Amino acid sequence: MNKAFSNLLKFLGRLNPTQKEQVYHWLKRYVDPTSSVGGRMIDEMRETRFKEGFKCPHCTSEHIVRFGKYKGRQRYKCKACYKTFSDMTNTVLYRTRKGNEWIAFVECMLKGYSLRKSAEIVGVTWVTLFYWRHKLLNALKKMDFDQFEGIVEADETYFLYSEKGKRGITGRKPRKRGGKSKYRGISKEQVCVLVARDRMKSTVAKVTCIGRVVKSKVDKVIVSKLHSNNILVTDAWRAYKTYAKEKGLEHYRIKSDNGTHIIKGIYHIQNVNGFHSRMKKWIDRFKGVASKYLDNYLAWFLFMDKRGHETTMQNIKDMLVSSFSFEMYDTYKSIRLSKFSI
């Protein structure tokens, strides 16, 4: 037995890194089944989803009874609408036949692995993992906070409009690896992402418009987060000036073209610009992102940035459990056929 075990260890040492990760995830599920989706995590997801009381996902009635089991999962029946459901109904794991593989996939996401490398480790095709990714990110995109506190920095950044993955692009030639705009500066080929961030690191990062940001779009993205006591700090673009004046906000404009980067020692947009830099460097790894999915990747980056980009079991659990807080109706077809909208 000792000799066989010794030979096994020698064999494991000859495996490539991807094969070693495959063995690692298999052993983790075998040795500690409670780390799988079928263990304690399902209980935590259920508690998160029904923290305000057990309700029918179809009609929100609270008149629920147990209704047997299906493939090992508890089913329930609503006495109001007579429909049945499980803990997974209308969640990211709904109709997923490979629940236990989600833990391994989320770990691959946090490590920044490509879909193809993740597919080798998880044992699921990369096309399926693409849809898993966007089901999960569509849920995370709904995570929110109430209001900003104190000083709020706001600035926009731009991404080239992309239809990556689409066949039969009309109106222009397909680009390779993202490509370049045929216009100089900010144009209608640029997707504007507005980022607003307070000093407590509460952050909004959303696709706002095509081309230069305008006052109405600023209002749409951040108005619900601001209150009269906030101090707004932006660059010198006139849309911010008009917006702050209409809302009655104290406003400081950073005019970097004349060498002004900080006012009164505390008013600057360095935090939000640093966020821009980290975000763009992180998104570069995908070699171009389809604009219709850009908000999803922004939500992914926000989640990672808040947690220091660390791949811990706690962060894996947080990503899955947080996604369970929101009703999801996405299907592979609805994700594939979705369109860019602002």
Side-chain angles (χ1 to χ4, degrees), residues 70-288:
Y70 179 70
K71 292 185 177 180
R73 292 178 179 172
Q74 180 65 52
R75 292 199 63 78
Y76 307 91
K77 186 173 183 178
C78 175
K79 298 181 73 175
C81 68
Y82 301 105
K83 292 182 179 180
T84 63
F85 62 94
S86 72
D87 297 316
M88 304 298 179
T89 301
N90 296 342
T91 70
V92 294
L93 298 185
Y94 185 42
R95 292 177 176 170
T96 297
R97 294 185 178 89
K98 296 181 177 290
N100 287 339
E101 281 76 5
W102 272 85
I103 293 289
F105 175 56
V106 171
E107 184 170 345
C108 289
M109 283 182 66
L110 296 186
K111 288 180 176 178
Y113 291 164
S114 69
L115 287 173
R116 294 185 186 277
K117 181 172 182 178
S118 299
E120 292 179 11
I121 294 170
V122 179
V124 178
T125 68
W126 72 267
V127 176
T128 297
L129 294 187
F130 175 81
Y131 291 115
W132 283 14
R133 172 190 285 180
H134 286 288
K135 285 179 70 176
L136 181 61
L137 296 180
N138 277 339
L140 290 183
K141 192 166 59 177
K142 297 182 179 182
M143 294 178 66
D144 207 353
F145 61 94
D146 292 329
Q147 286 189 314
F148 288 120
E149 296 183 20
I151 299 171
V152 180
E153 303 174 28
D155 196 11
E156 75 279 7
T157 190
Y158 294 87
F159 293 85
L160 186 63
Y161 178 75
S162 172
E163 294 183 291
K164 182 180 179 181
K166 181 180 177 180
R167 295 180 180 179
I169 294 175
T170 59
R172 63 169 174 81
K173 292 182 178 180
R175 304 190 189 103
K176 184 177 181 181
R177 298 290 185 181
K180 296 181 180 179
S181 172
K182 62 181 179 181
Y183 303 105
R184 294 182 62 186
I186 307 304
S187 69
K188 293 298 182 180
E189 287 193 338
Q190 305 285 336
V191 177
C192 173
V193 172
L194 178 63
V195 177
R197 183 176 174 92
D198 66 18
R199 299 293 168 82
M200 301 301 292
K201 298 185 180 180
S202 296
T203 307
V204 170
K206 290 185 178 180
V207 171
T208 306
C209 58
I210 293 288
R212 277 287 186 183
V213 67
V214 295
K215 175 179 66 66
S216 60
K217 298 298 184 180
V218 175
D219 187 65
K220 181 179 178 181
V221 171
I222 65 174
V223 66
S224 63
K225 308 296 181 192
L226 291 170
H227 55 80
S228 57
N229 293 328
N230 286 132
I231 300 171
L232 186 63
V233 187
T234 69
D235 63 14
W237 181 240
R238 59 180 177 271
Y240 297 119
K241 180 181 179 181
T242 307
Y243 175 76
K245 186 176 181 180
E246 285 188 4
K247 298 299 179 182
L249 295 170
E250 186 177 352
H251 182 213
Y252 291 90
R253 303 170 72 201
I254 305 300
K255 301 179 181 180
S256 56
D257 56 348
N258 64 8
T260 302
H261 297 285
I262 187 167
I263 299 173
K264 297 183 179 180
I266 59 171
Y267 301 117
H268 56 77
I269 53 174
Q270 294 171 8
N271 290 317
V272 77
N273 286 339
F275 183 90
H276 286 172
S277 178
R278 296 193 304 276
M279 175 179 66
K280 287 205 162 187
K281 183 178 179 181
W282 182 83
I283 287 181
D284 279 347
R285 72 177 64 186
F286 300 104
K287 308 299 182 184

Side-chain angles (χ1 to χ4, degrees), residues 282-315:
W282 182 83
I283 287 181
D284 279 347
R285 72 177 64 186
F286 300 104
K287 308 299 182 184
V289 170
S291 295
K292 68 178 183 178
Y293 297 131
L294 184 53
D295 266 334
N296 286 5
Y297 286 90
L298 296 176
W300 184 1
F301 178 76
L302 272 172
F303 181 91
M304 296 289 292
D305 197 59
K306 289 178 182 177
R307 291 159 178 80
H309 296 267
E310 294 181 351
T311 308
T312 63
M313 195 61 203
Q314 184 63 46
N315 286 344

